[in-house]
Amino acid sequence: MAELSGQVATSAGLMSAEIALNDGRIASVRPATVAARSVIIVPGFIDLHCHGGGGADVMDGADAVRHTALTHAAHGTTTLLATIMTAPVHEVEQALIGIHAAMAMPARDGADVHGVHLEGPFISRERLGAQPDFVIPADIDLMRRFLNFAPIRVVTLAAEADPEGTFAAELAAHGIRIQLGHSSCDYETAASRFATGTSGVTHLFNAMTGLHHRAPGIVGAALAHADHAELIPDLLHVHPGAIRAALRAIPGVYAVTDASPASGMPDGDYRFGRQNIRKCGNGVRLADGTLAGSSLTMAAAFRNLVSIGLSLEEASRRTSTIAADYLGLADRGRITAGARADLVVLDQDLAVVDVLIAGRSILSGVAT
């Protein structure tokens, strides 16, 4: 039975503890006396919006999905949803087939690909963001076909694509999380969707109607009514002040990367779906300057949340526990007996020292 010790993020707060591991699970968590400069241990990060990384795009087949899982695992992500962007229907279907194949033969030392976040094609042409214009109205028969190819856990949906809300209601009844996003709908429409099955918001503040005191938009409806919302804390997509406002208003705000193939890569030019993108510093943009996903990792997201004032325990909740609960994954996102031994070991500067996936170290103590 293996053991880890350090300052451990638990539901009761940060505590000096020893974690016993057995057969890929946490056997016990016991209080311990640990040196003041010991490591910090948090639950493995969970990313519910990840398009790629390490130069790979999940749209490009099973090998690209596995490479993405390897890339993000090295930065502490232990579970992710492979996220499909808007594309022609046959390309979406091929991407789903590739993701399913990757799930059947997971990358050794890679994050667990738990399923799919379908970010398109059921979005608004007026709020494409960096997505190509292959939008279509919500189609339940097409969605059923998509579900034959791979497990879809989350669907981003514009209200305009589903005017009556029937598509969202049917999917929600089957346990699929529906998120309002890439939409120009007004406050009243958004508020009604939150009351009738829409679970959350895709990258809050981005690609949606903003908050104005006489026209609160989707952002205002989310702040007033939503229980969950994903948010990209690269400190470029959303100002720290807006992040803190969201954290006060929405109980279940959780961090995502919206990572592009440029995540984990040097500055330069990359392909993202059908688009050319350029990474420069912290930003990833189309030729016209539009933000095109991010180069974020979940480890960087964690550090950024701490940098704007969140405690280590709260940052851990926002990068792991809340996302796990949102998908109903009771055995992840927490350090407690019986949970999967998905853990991230950090030094005092919050740099990743090691990552354990189902109890297996994938970095062997080498800092990243």
Side-chain angles (χ1 to χ4, degrees), residues 148-196:
N148 287 328
F149 295 117
I152 298 173
R153 314 293 187 189
V154 174
V155 174
T156 294
L157 180 64
E160 301 93 311
D162 180 31
E164 303 302 318
T166 53
F167 178 89
E170 178 159 341
L171 294 189
H174 287 86
I176 296 173
R177 301 292 186 263
I178 304 299
Q179 295 182 177
L180 186 58
H182 287 279
S183 174
S184 291
C185 76
D186 60 17
Y187 170 91
E188 288 75 17
T189 301
S192 71
R193 295 305 170 95
F194 293 130
T196 56

Short mmCIF file of all heavy atoms in Angstrom, two decimals, residues 148-196:
data_model
loop_
_atom_site.label_atom_id
_atom_site.label_comp_id
_atom_site.label_asym_id
_atom_site.label_seq_id
_atom_site.Cartn_x
_atom_site.Cartn_y
_atom_site.Cartn_z
N ASN A 148 -25.32 7.70 -30.86
CA ASN A 148 -24.94 6.34 -31.21
C ASN A 148 -23.43 6.19 -31.36
O ASN A 148 -22.91 5.07 -31.31
CB ASN A 148 -25.61 5.92 -32.52
CG ASN A 148 -27.09 5.66 -32.35
OD1 ASN A 148 -27.53 5.22 -31.29
ND2 ASN A 148 -27.86 5.92 -33.39
N PHE A 149 -22.73 7.31 -31.57
CA PHE A 149 -21.30 7.26 -31.85
C PHE A 149 -20.44 7.38 -30.60
O PHE A 149 -19.36 6.79 -30.53
CB PHE A 149 -20.91 8.35 -32.85
CG PHE A 149 -21.52 8.19 -34.21
CD1 PHE A 149 -22.40 9.13 -34.71
CD2 PHE A 149 -21.21 7.09 -35.00
CE1 PHE A 149 -22.96 9.00 -35.96
CE2 PHE A 149 -21.77 6.94 -36.27
CZ PHE A 149 -22.65 7.89 -36.75
N ALA A 150 -20.86 8.16 -29.63
CA ALA A 150 -20.05 8.39 -28.43
C ALA A 150 -20.94 8.95 -27.33
O ALA A 150 -21.98 9.56 -27.61
CB ALA A 150 -18.91 9.36 -28.72
N PRO A 151 -20.54 8.76 -26.05
CA PRO A 151 -21.32 9.32 -24.94
C PRO A 151 -21.15 10.83 -24.86
O PRO A 151 -20.04 11.33 -24.64
CB PRO A 151 -20.75 8.63 -23.71
CG PRO A 151 -19.37 8.21 -24.11
CD PRO A 151 -19.40 7.95 -25.58
N ILE A 152 -22.23 11.55 -25.05
CA ILE A 152 -22.22 13.01 -24.99
C ILE A 152 -22.76 13.41 -23.62
O ILE A 152 -23.89 13.11 -23.27
CB ILE A 152 -23.05 13.63 -26.13
CG1 ILE A 152 -22.44 13.24 -27.47
CG2 ILE A 152 -23.13 15.15 -25.98
CD1 ILE A 152 -23.28 13.66 -28.68
N ARG A 153 -21.91 14.08 -22.84
CA ARG A 153 -22.28 14.45 -21.47
C ARG A 153 -22.83 15.86 -21.37
O ARG A 153 -23.68 16.15 -20.51
CB ARG A 153 -21.05 14.34 -20.55
CG ARG A 153 -20.23 13.09 -20.70
CD ARG A 153 -20.94 11.86 -20.26
NE ARG A 153 -20.04 10.70 -20.28
CZ ARG A 153 -20.45 9.44 -20.10
NH1 ARG A 153 -21.73 9.17 -19.90
NH2 ARG A 153 -19.58 8.45 -20.14
N VAL A 154 -22.32 16.77 -22.21
CA VAL A 154 -22.69 18.19 -22.15
C VAL A 154 -22.94 18.68 -23.58
O VAL A 154 -22.21 18.32 -24.51
CB VAL A 154 -21.56 19.03 -21.51
CG1 VAL A 154 -21.87 20.52 -21.59
CG2 VAL A 154 -21.32 18.61 -20.06
N VAL A 155 -23.99 19.49 -23.73
CA VAL A 155 -24.29 20.12 -25.03
C VAL A 155 -24.43 21.62 -24.82
O VAL A 155 -25.20 22.07 -23.97
CB VAL A 155 -25.59 19.56 -25.64
CG1 VAL A 155 -25.96 20.34 -26.90
CG2 VAL A 155 -25.45 18.08 -25.96
N THR A 156 -23.65 22.38 -25.58
CA THR A 156 -23.84 23.83 -25.62
C THR A 156 -24.93 24.12 -26.63
O THR A 156 -24.91 23.62 -27.76
CB THR A 156 -22.55 24.54 -26.04
OG1 THR A 156 -21.58 24.35 -25.01
CG2 THR A 156 -22.78 26.03 -26.24
N LEU A 157 -25.89 24.95 -26.24
CA LEU A 157 -27.07 25.19 -27.06
C LEU A 157 -27.45 26.66 -27.00
O LEU A 157 -27.55 27.24 -25.93
CB LEU A 157 -28.24 24.33 -26.53
CG LEU A 157 -29.58 24.42 -27.23
CD1 LEU A 157 -29.48 23.90 -28.66
CD2 LEU A 157 -30.63 23.63 -26.46
N ALA A 158 -27.63 27.26 -28.18
CA ALA A 158 -28.18 28.62 -28.24
C ALA A 158 -29.69 28.53 -28.19
O ALA A 158 -30.30 27.65 -28.82
CB ALA A 158 -27.73 29.30 -29.53
N ALA A 159 -30.31 29.46 -27.47
CA ALA A 159 -31.77 29.47 -27.41
C ALA A 159 -32.38 29.62 -28.80
O ALA A 159 -33.43 29.06 -29.10
CB ALA A 159 -32.24 30.60 -26.50
N GLU A 160 -31.69 30.37 -29.67
CA GLU A 160 -32.20 30.60 -31.03
C GLU A 160 -32.28 29.30 -31.84
O GLU A 160 -33.09 29.18 -32.76
CB GLU A 160 -31.28 31.57 -31.78
CG GLU A 160 -31.13 32.93 -31.13
CD GLU A 160 -29.94 33.01 -30.20
OE1 GLU A 160 -29.77 32.12 -29.35
OE2 GLU A 160 -29.18 33.99 -30.34
N ALA A 161 -31.42 28.34 -31.50
CA ALA A 161 -31.41 27.06 -32.23
C ALA A 161 -32.52 26.13 -31.77
O ALA A 161 -32.82 25.13 -32.43
CB ALA A 161 -30.05 26.38 -32.05
N ASP A 162 -33.14 26.45 -30.64
CA ASP A 162 -34.17 25.60 -30.03
C ASP A 162 -35.27 26.50 -29.47
O ASP A 162 -35.45 26.60 -28.26
CB ASP A 162 -33.52 24.77 -28.92
CG ASP A 162 -34.48 23.84 -28.20
OD1 ASP A 162 -35.45 23.38 -28.82
OD2 ASP A 162 -34.24 23.58 -26.99
N PRO A 163 -36.01 27.20 -30.36
CA PRO A 163 -36.92 28.26 -29.90
C PRO A 163 -37.96 27.82 -28.89
O PRO A 163 -38.31 28.58 -27.98
CB PRO A 163 -37.58 28.74 -31.20
CG PRO A 163 -36.64 28.34 -32.28
CD PRO A 163 -36.00 27.07 -31.82
N GLU A 164 -38.44 26.59 -29.01
CA GLU A 164 -39.49 26.13 -28.09
C GLU A 164 -38.92 25.45 -26.84
O GLU A 164 -39.66 25.13 -25.92
CB GLU A 164 -40.43 25.15 -28.82
CG GLU A 164 -41.09 25.72 -30.07
CD GLU A 164 -41.90 26.96 -29.76
OE1 GLU A 164 -42.60 26.97 -28.72
OE2 GLU A 164 -41.83 27.92 -30.55
N GLY A 165 -37.63 25.19 -26.85
CA GLY A 165 -37.01 24.54 -25.71
C GLY A 165 -37.24 23.04 -25.62
O GLY A 165 -36.86 22.41 -24.64
N THR A 166 -37.84 22.45 -26.65
CA THR A 166 -38.17 21.02 -26.59
C THR A 166 -36.93 20.14 -26.70
O THR A 166 -36.85 19.09 -26.06
CB THR A 166 -39.16 20.67 -27.71
OG1 THR A 166 -38.63 21.12 -28.96
CG2 THR A 166 -40.51 21.34 -27.47
N PHE A 167 -35.97 20.56 -27.51
CA PHE A 167 -34.72 19.81 -27.66
C PHE A 167 -33.99 19.75 -26.32
O PHE A 167 -33.59 18.68 -25.87
CB PHE A 167 -33.88 20.51 -28.72
CG PHE A 167 -32.53 19.90 -28.99
CD1 PHE A 167 -32.38 18.90 -29.93
CD2 PHE A 167 -31.40 20.36 -28.32
CE1 PHE A 167 -31.13 18.35 -30.21
CE2 PHE A 167 -30.14 19.82 -28.58
CZ PHE A 167 -30.01 18.81 -29.53
N ALA A 168 -33.85 20.89 -25.68
CA ALA A 168 -33.17 20.94 -24.39
C ALA A 168 -33.88 20.10 -23.35
O ALA A 168 -33.25 19.37 -22.58
CB ALA A 168 -33.05 22.39 -23.92
N ALA A 169 -35.20 20.18 -23.31
CA ALA A 169 -35.96 19.45 -22.31
C ALA A 169 -35.79 17.94 -22.48
O ALA A 169 -35.65 17.20 -21.49
CB ALA A 169 -37.43 19.83 -22.38
N GLU A 170 -35.80 17.47 -23.71
CA GLU A 170 -35.68 16.03 -23.94
C GLU A 170 -34.28 15.53 -23.54
O GLU A 170 -34.15 14.50 -22.89
CB GLU A 170 -35.95 15.67 -25.40
CG GLU A 170 -35.79 14.19 -25.67
CD GLU A 170 -36.51 13.71 -26.91
OE1 GLU A 170 -37.42 14.40 -27.39
OE2 GLU A 170 -36.15 12.62 -27.40
N LEU A 171 -33.25 16.28 -23.90
CA LEU A 171 -31.91 15.84 -23.55
C LEU A 171 -31.69 15.90 -22.03
O LEU A 171 -31.07 15.01 -21.45
CB LEU A 171 -30.87 16.71 -24.26
CG LEU A 171 -30.81 16.58 -25.79
CD1 LEU A 171 -29.60 17.33 -26.32
CD2 LEU A 171 -30.78 15.14 -26.23
N ALA A 172 -32.18 16.95 -21.41
CA ALA A 172 -32.03 17.07 -19.96
C ALA A 172 -32.72 15.91 -19.24
O ALA A 172 -32.22 15.42 -18.22
CB ALA A 172 -32.60 18.40 -19.48
N ALA A 173 -33.85 15.45 -19.78
CA ALA A 173 -34.56 14.33 -19.18
C ALA A 173 -33.75 13.04 -19.23
O ALA A 173 -34.00 12.12 -18.45
CB ALA A 173 -35.90 14.13 -19.88
N HIS A 174 -32.77 12.98 -20.13
CA HIS A 174 -31.92 11.81 -20.26
C HIS A 174 -30.56 12.01 -19.60
O HIS A 174 -29.62 11.25 -19.84
CB HIS A 174 -31.75 11.45 -21.74
CG HIS A 174 -32.98 10.85 -22.35
ND1 HIS A 174 -33.99 11.62 -22.89
CD2 HIS A 174 -33.38 9.56 -22.49
CE1 HIS A 174 -34.95 10.84 -23.34
NE2 HIS A 174 -34.61 9.58 -23.11
N GLY A 175 -30.45 13.05 -18.77
CA GLY A 175 -29.24 13.25 -17.98
C GLY A 175 -28.13 13.99 -18.68
O GLY A 175 -27.03 14.10 -18.12
N ILE A 176 -28.37 14.50 -19.87
CA ILE A 176 -27.35 15.29 -20.56
C ILE A 176 -27.42 16.72 -20.05
O ILE A 176 -28.50 17.31 -19.96
CB ILE A 176 -27.56 15.23 -22.09
CG1 ILE A 176 -27.37 13.80 -22.59
CG2 ILE A 176 -26.59 16.18 -22.80
CD1 ILE A 176 -27.72 13.61 -24.05
N ARG A 177 -26.28 17.29 -19.72
CA ARG A 177 -26.24 18.66 -19.22
C ARG A 177 -26.33 19.63 -20.41
O ARG A 177 -25.50 19.59 -21.32
CB ARG A 177 -24.94 18.91 -18.45
CG ARG A 177 -24.74 17.99 -17.25
CD ARG A 177 -25.76 18.29 -16.15
NE ARG A 177 -25.49 17.53 -14.96
CZ ARG A 177 -26.08 16.39 -14.63
NH1 ARG A 177 -26.99 15.87 -15.45
NH2 ARG A 177 -25.79 15.77 -13.51
N ILE A 178 -27.33 20.49 -20.36
CA ILE A 178 -27.53 21.50 -21.41
C ILE A 178 -27.00 22.82 -20.89
O ILE A 178 -27.38 23.28 -19.80
CB ILE A 178 -29.01 21.65 -21.79
CG1 ILE A 178 -29.59 20.30 -22.22
CG2 ILE A 178 -29.19 22.69 -22.88
CD1 ILE A 178 -28.93 19.69 -23.41
N GLN A 179 -26.14 23.45 -21.68
CA GLN A 179 -25.56 24.74 -21.30
C GLN A 179 -25.90 25.79 -22.34
O GLN A 179 -25.75 25.56 -23.54
CB GLN A 179 -24.04 24.61 -21.15
CG GLN A 179 -23.66 23.67 -20.02
CD GLN A 179 -22.17 23.54 -19.79
OE1 GLN A 179 -21.76 22.86 -18.86
NE2 GLN A 179 -21.34 24.17 -20.61
N LEU A 180 -26.35 26.93 -21.85
CA LEU A 180 -26.65 28.05 -22.73
C LEU A 180 -25.35 28.73 -23.13
O LEU A 180 -24.53 29.07 -22.27
CB LEU A 180 -27.57 29.03 -21.99
CG LEU A 180 -28.15 30.20 -22.77
CD1 LEU A 180 -28.94 29.74 -23.98
CD2 LEU A 180 -29.04 31.03 -21.84
N GLY A 181 -25.16 28.92 -24.42
CA GLY A 181 -23.93 29.56 -24.86
C GLY A 181 -23.95 29.85 -26.34
O GLY A 181 -24.81 29.36 -27.08
N HIS A 182 -23.00 30.69 -26.79
CA HIS A 182 -22.94 31.11 -28.19
C HIS A 182 -24.33 31.56 -28.64
O HIS A 182 -24.86 31.09 -29.66
CB HIS A 182 -22.40 29.99 -29.08
CG HIS A 182 -20.93 29.77 -28.91
ND1 HIS A 182 -19.98 30.54 -29.55
CD2 HIS A 182 -20.25 28.85 -28.18
CE1 HIS A 182 -18.77 30.11 -29.22
NE2 HIS A 182 -18.91 29.10 -28.38
N SER A 183 -24.91 32.48 -27.89
CA SER A 183 -26.30 32.88 -28.08
C SER A 183 -26.47 34.38 -27.89
O SER A 183 -25.75 35.01 -27.10
CB SER A 183 -27.19 32.14 -27.07
OG SER A 183 -28.53 32.59 -27.13
N SER A 184 -27.44 34.94 -28.62
CA SER A 184 -27.77 36.36 -28.49
C SER A 184 -29.12 36.57 -27.82
O SER A 184 -29.71 37.65 -27.92
CB SER A 184 -27.80 37.02 -29.88
OG SER A 184 -26.51 37.11 -30.43
N CYS A 185 -29.63 35.56 -27.12
CA CYS A 185 -30.96 35.71 -26.53
C CYS A 185 -30.95 36.73 -25.39
O CYS A 185 -29.91 37.10 -24.87
CB CYS A 185 -31.50 34.36 -26.06
SG CYS A 185 -30.80 33.74 -24.52
N ASP A 186 -32.14 37.18 -25.02
CA ASP A 186 -32.26 38.20 -23.99
C ASP A 186 -32.39 37.57 -22.59
O ASP A 186 -32.44 36.35 -22.44
CB ASP A 186 -33.44 39.13 -24.27
CG ASP A 186 -34.78 38.40 -24.34
OD1 ASP A 186 -34.89 37.25 -23.87
OD2 ASP A 186 -35.74 38.99 -24.89
N TYR A 187 -32.42 38.45 -21.60
CA TYR A 187 -32.49 38.01 -20.21
C TYR A 187 -33.70 37.11 -19.95
O TYR A 187 -33.59 36.06 -19.32
CB TYR A 187 -32.56 39.24 -19.30
CG TYR A 187 -32.88 38.93 -17.85
CD1 TYR A 187 -31.85 38.71 -16.93
CD2 TYR A 187 -34.19 38.86 -17.40
CE1 TYR A 187 -32.13 38.42 -15.60
CE2 TYR A 187 -34.48 38.57 -16.08
CZ TYR A 187 -33.46 38.35 -15.18
OH TYR A 187 -33.75 38.06 -13.88
N GLU A 188 -34.86 37.53 -20.44
CA GLU A 188 -36.10 36.80 -20.16
C GLU A 188 -36.03 35.38 -20.71
O GLU A 188 -36.44 34.41 -20.04
CB GLU A 188 -37.29 37.55 -20.73
CG GLU A 188 -37.66 38.83 -19.98
CD GLU A 188 -36.70 40.00 -20.26
OE1 GLU A 188 -35.95 39.94 -21.26
OE2 GLU A 188 -36.72 40.98 -19.48
N THR A 189 -35.53 35.25 -21.94
CA THR A 189 -35.42 33.93 -22.54
C THR A 189 -34.44 33.07 -21.76
O THR A 189 -34.72 31.90 -21.45
CB THR A 189 -34.98 34.04 -24.01
OG1 THR A 189 -35.93 34.82 -24.73
CG2 THR A 189 -34.85 32.66 -24.65
N ALA A 190 -33.29 33.64 -21.44
CA ALA A 190 -32.29 32.88 -20.69
C ALA A 190 -32.83 32.45 -19.33
O ALA A 190 -32.65 31.29 -18.92
CB ALA A 190 -31.02 33.71 -20.53
N ALA A 191 -33.49 33.36 -18.63
CA ALA A 191 -34.03 33.02 -17.31
C ALA A 191 -35.03 31.88 -17.40
O ALA A 191 -35.06 30.98 -16.54
CB ALA A 191 -34.67 34.25 -16.68
N SER A 192 -35.85 31.89 -18.45
CA SER A 192 -36.84 30.82 -18.61
C SER A 192 -36.16 29.48 -18.88
O SER A 192 -36.64 28.44 -18.43
CB SER A 192 -37.82 31.15 -19.73
OG SER A 192 -37.20 31.06 -21.01
N ARG A 193 -35.03 29.50 -19.58
CA ARG A 193 -34.32 28.25 -19.86
C ARG A 193 -33.72 27.68 -18.58
O ARG A 193 -33.72 26.47 -18.37
CB ARG A 193 -33.24 28.47 -20.91
CG ARG A 193 -33.79 28.85 -22.29
CD ARG A 193 -34.81 27.85 -22.80
NE ARG A 193 -35.51 28.29 -23.97
CZ ARG A 193 -35.16 27.99 -25.23
NH1 ARG A 193 -34.09 27.26 -25.45
NH2 ARG A 193 -35.88 28.43 -26.23
N PHE A 194 -33.20 28.54 -17.71
CA PHE A 194 -32.65 28.05 -16.45
C PHE A 194 -33.74 27.43 -15.57
O PHE A 194 -33.48 26.54 -14.76
CB PHE A 194 -31.93 29.15 -15.69
CG PHE A 194 -30.68 29.65 -16.38
CD1 PHE A 194 -30.48 31.00 -16.57
CD2 PHE A 194 -29.72 28.76 -16.82
CE1 PHE A 194 -29.34 31.46 -17.20
CE2 PHE A 194 -28.58 29.20 -17.46
CZ PHE A 194 -28.39 30.57 -17.65
N ALA A 195 -34.96 27.89 -15.76
CA ALA A 195 -36.08 27.37 -14.97
C ALA A 195 -36.65 26.07 -15.55
O ALA A 195 -37.44 25.40 -14.88
CB ALA A 195 -37.19 28.41 -14.89
N THR A 196 -36.24 25.71 -16.78
CA THR A 196 -36.86 24.56 -17.44
C THR A 196 -35.85 23.55 -17.97
O THR A 196 -36.04 22.96 -19.04
CB THR A 196 -37.77 25.04 -18.60
OG1 THR A 196 -36.99 25.85 -19.50
CG2 THR A 196 -38.94 25.84 -18.09
#
